[in-house]
Amino acid sequence: MIDEYKTISHHIGEGIYTEKRSKFLAFSHFVENVDDIKQLVQDYRKRYYDARHVCYAYMLGHERKDYRANDDGEPGGTAGKPILGQINALELTNVLVIVVRYYGGINLGTGGLVVAYRQAAREALDNAEVITRQVEEQVEYNFTYPMMNDVMRIVKEMSPRIVSQTFETNCSITLSIRKSEAEQLRERLAKLSFGE
């Protein structure tokens, strides 16, 4: 079971590529969902309202199955695909790369565009911090207050991240743990219930 993936940190990677007076400004972002992406693309379109094109590509999910490439008016396949190609070359996910183009008055041709978008995207990714994250699974557990010490001992031993917890007459805890360890955590907590 593969339970880790490569992505980038929250630090924005930036790149710039110039060809025949056209300027390509590239930005790489960590993203978790399509709503984040829509918001970021909208923000860049507002910030660079005078640019000719705001092209982008993204990859989402640890299985790397949710992706999109957008040429934003450039000839088909000359912008979004080369950007996505750089994300794929580094095997990254949960990444959005936006490339803003200011037209310099000289046409670059489809080959020139592909090179420019690819280079700008690569520079933005090279200037980002690549990190490895674990695929996590959430485990919820309900228990009675007298079981608190036993539950917290397991939490201390297995080191899951505590997402939420409620300690009243009936207690509940939601834990997030590496996917490959989730079943073991469930089994250990279930044994506590049988011991009641």
Side-chain angles (χ1 to χ4, degrees), residues 14-142:
E14 295 185 13
I16 187 165
Y17 183 82
T18 308
E19 180 70 32
K20 294 179 181 169
R21 296 201 310 256
S22 274
K23 216 179 221 177
F24 298 83
L25 310 175
F27 307 90
S28 59
H29 287 267
F30 171 77
V31 288
E32 294 189 84
N33 55 56
V34 175
D35 290 337
D36 290 352
I37 292 162
K38 285 179 182 169
Q39 187 61 56
L40 282 164
V41 170
Q42 192 178 339
D43 291 348
Y44 275 92
R45 286 207 166 111
K46 274 185 198 156
R47 190 179 318 158
Y48 296 98
Y49 64 90
D50 54 342
R52 177 74 68 95
H53 305 280
V54 177
C55 306
Y56 64 91
Y58 67 79
M59 178 71 68
L60 285 175
H62 66 275
E63 294 176 336
R64 303 183 74 245
K65 290 181 180 171
D66 187 3
Y67 59 89
R68 180 155 182 231
N70 185 307
D71 295 317
D72 192 37
E74 291 282 30
T78 60
K81 267 189 179 170
I83 298 169
L84 185 61
Q86 293 307 300
I87 295 171
N88 282 329
L90 296 171
E91 299 177 341
L92 298 172
T93 191
N94 288 10
V95 172
L96 166 68
V97 178
I98 295 175
V99 181
V100 177
R101 178 188 183 194
Y102 283 96
Y103 183 59
I106 300 169
N107 289 339
L108 302 181
T110 55
L113 287 172
V114 168
V115 168
Y117 280 102
R118 183 175 57 223
Q119 290 298 113
R122 184 55 179 242
E123 197 172 313
L125 289 167
D126 285 347
N127 289 323
E129 180 191 6
V130 174
I131 57 173
T132 300
R133 287 200 167 180
Q134 293 165 357
V135 178
E136 292 187 339
E137 196 172 307
Q138 287 198 353
V139 174
E140 291 180 29
Y141 184 63
N142 297 311

Side-chain angles (χ1 to χ4, degrees), residues 5 10 41 59 77 80 84 89 100 102 110 115 117 143 145 147 149-150 154 162 172 174 176 190:
Y5 58 93
H10 288 277
V41 170
M59 178 71 68
L84 185 61
V100 177
Y102 283 96
T110 55
V115 168
Y117 280 102
F143 57 98
Y145 195 81
M147 297 168 64
N149 288 342
D150 293 331
I154 291 171
I162 298 173
S172 70
T174 303
S176 191

Side-chain angles (χ1 to χ4, degrees), residues 162-180:
I162 298 173
V163 178
S164 66
Q165 53 191 4
T166 311
F167 301 129
E168 292 166 9
T169 312
N170 290 315
C171 305
S172 70
I173 193 165
T174 303
L175 305 167
S176 191
I177 193 165
R178 190 172 182 146
K179 194 175 181 105
S180 58

